[in-house]
Amino acid sequence: MTGMIYDQKGRRKYITPHQRDRFIDHCSTLRTPQRTFCLLLALSGCRVSEALELSVGQIDFETGAVVIRSLKKRSDKPIYRAVPLPDWFLEILRLQCQGRARNDRLWVWCRGTAWRLVKCVMTNVGVTGAPACPK
């Protein structure tokens, strides 16, 4: 695990648990679509592109999970993973999904807009350098 969170020069690549908590806390100041997007990244560990392609139907409220198509694994067939989410967050997502079709995307932004949003939140909570990259 140590080799995965540090680069070849020993620098941390990802945020710490304390920084993650500050990121999550800061999300309460955001409007609903931005808040749910950032919270999903923090709570599920999915990538920006994986979150952007999610549709309403990929939120499994019955089992309490989001079904994410993995974009990192290379395969001829799509690979999906179910990631459990906390009940409090599922209720926020349920409100965002009300009245929408199963195939409607949860967020309709481009990748650049999503990237800038996450970078802005990271800056606001004091995360800088390589860990501040949304991944």
Side-chain angles (χ1 to χ4, degrees), residues 45-125:
C46 73
R47 292 168 177 74
V48 169
S49 296
E50 291 172 336
L52 286 174
E53 79 166 21
L54 286 175
S55 66
V56 171
Q58 288 173 268
I59 308 297
D60 188 342
F61 292 105
E62 190 171 321
T63 64
V66 60
V67 180
I68 301 168
R69 183 172 73 93
S70 178
L71 297 179
K72 182 129 182 172
K73 295 185 167 93
R74 306 216 190 279
S75 173
D76 293 340
K77 299 176 185 176
I79 298 171
Y80 292 89
R81 66 188 187 278
V83 179
L85 296 171
D87 291 338
W88 63 266
F89 181 57
L90 286 164
E91 287 309 311
I92 295 169
L93 281 177
R94 187 183 308 275
L95 292 173
Q96 184 174 335
C97 294
Q98 278 182 339
R100 298 175 68 190
R102 286 186 51 81
N103 62 342
D104 285 351
R105 284 180 40 207
L106 291 172
W107 303 280
V108 293
W109 316 313
C110 68
R111 192 171 186 279
T113 298
W115 188 271
R116 283 189 298 278
L117 167 65
V118 176
K119 286 288 284 186
C120 180
V121 174
M122 291 282 201
T123 299
N124 287 334
V125 298

